[in-house]
Amino acid sequence: MSISDHALDIDFPQFKSRILDLRKNDPAFRQLSDDYDRLDKKIRGLEVRDVPTDDQHFSALKMERASLKDRLYQQLAKGA
């Protein structure tokens, strides 16, 4: 299984400066991106340590990460 870092600046390099700007100036974006980062690290940690978890739980975590990423992308793309 491939263990990829899904940090926003890696997945959306074209928005790197916008990510920094929004994290600095938009508390709601910063909170959402912090939540996303924590969840991504949790998922990667489970993958790296091969922690036993049922597929349904793991899939739910990944779906939540995808939902957060979609919300963040909408904010990034809105100002581009």
Side-chain angles (χ1 to χ4, degrees):
M1 172 184 340
S2 173
I3 301 170
S4 299
D5 185 345
H6 288 278
L8 291 177
D9 60 342
I10 292 172
D11 283 355
F12 303 123
Q14 71 275 26
F15 293 123
K16 191 169 189 166
S17 64
R18 180 131 171 84
I19 291 167
L20 293 173
D21 182 55
L22 286 172
R23 284 194 52 78
K24 181 179 177 185
N25 298 308
D26 185 334
F29 181 89
R30 181 176 46 251
Q31 180 63 51
L32 194 60
S33 66
D34 286 347
D35 293 345
Y36 174 84
D37 289 339
R38 275 191 293 277
L39 183 56
D40 183 49
K41 287 177 183 158
K42 179 178 182 175
I43 291 168
R44 284 187 292 122
L46 291 172
E47 291 173 332
V48 167
R49 291 188 303 274
D50 202 24
V51 173
T53 183
D54 62 52
D55 287 340
Q56 187 175 17
H57 173 71
F58 197 62
S59 292
L61 291 174
K62 286 186 170 187
M63 291 296 292
E64 183 180 351
R65 178 176 62 186
S67 176
L68 287 171
K69 184 182 278 188
D70 286 345
R71 291 172 57 195
L72 289 161
Y73 177 79
Q74 293 300 320
Q75 292 182 34
L76 292 169
K78 186 178 359 177

